[in-house]
Amino acid sequence: MIEDWSGAYVSKTVVNRGMSAWSTTAEEVGRTLPKLADDVESYLSTAPWGGGAEGQAFYKAHCGDGGPIEMVRQAKRLAEQIVDAGDRLRAAIDNTLQTDADIRHDLTRMAREV
């Protein structure tokens, strides 16, 4: 872990490239995952395992403790978090870059006044 950040430099080009990749991935996840999750939930709601003893044993073994339905719910939450994290990270980066610019401006102004 880096403990001394003095002299650190944030490359706006590298950050923008990374954020662009994140946004592309987040958009893809946000667009495709809800439909896929709805499809899985729809298929599971038909109870394809059947109502007999074997079907009930299958259901208990594979759907107990939430099974695939819980996995789908968690995937939906994760997709929302992926999209939200990108938005929050972009705001944090923009704030950091603006703060750095303000500090540089203040230091330049102070140097001229001295």
Side-chain angles (χ1 to χ4, degrees), residues 2-9:
I2 299 173
E3 299 206 11
D4 180 12
W5 286 87
S6 60
Y9 172 75

Side-chain angles (χ1 to χ4, degrees), residues 22-99:
W22 183 280
S23 295
T24 299
T25 300
E27 287 171 12
E28 175 84 12
V29 167
R31 185 176 63 251
T32 60
L33 188 95
K35 166 124 177 44
L36 294 171
D38 289 345
D39 288 349
V40 170
E41 287 177 330
S42 175
Y43 301 145
L44 291 172
S45 71
T46 66
W49 42 82
E54 295 85 4
Q56 291 306 310
F58 176 88
Y59 177 82
K60 187 175 181 178
H62 294 283
C63 295
D65 296 326
I69 294 169
E70 180 58 25
M71 181 194 66
V72 168
R73 288 183 188 135
Q74 288 185 24
K76 285 180 177 179
R77 283 193 300 270
L78 180 59
E80 292 168 1
Q81 292 172 355
I82 287 170
V83 172
D84 181 57
D87 295 341
R88 288 184 293 117
L89 184 57
R90 170 53 70 194
I93 291 166
D94 290 344
N95 288 341
T96 299
L97 292 173
Q98 185 59 53
T99 299

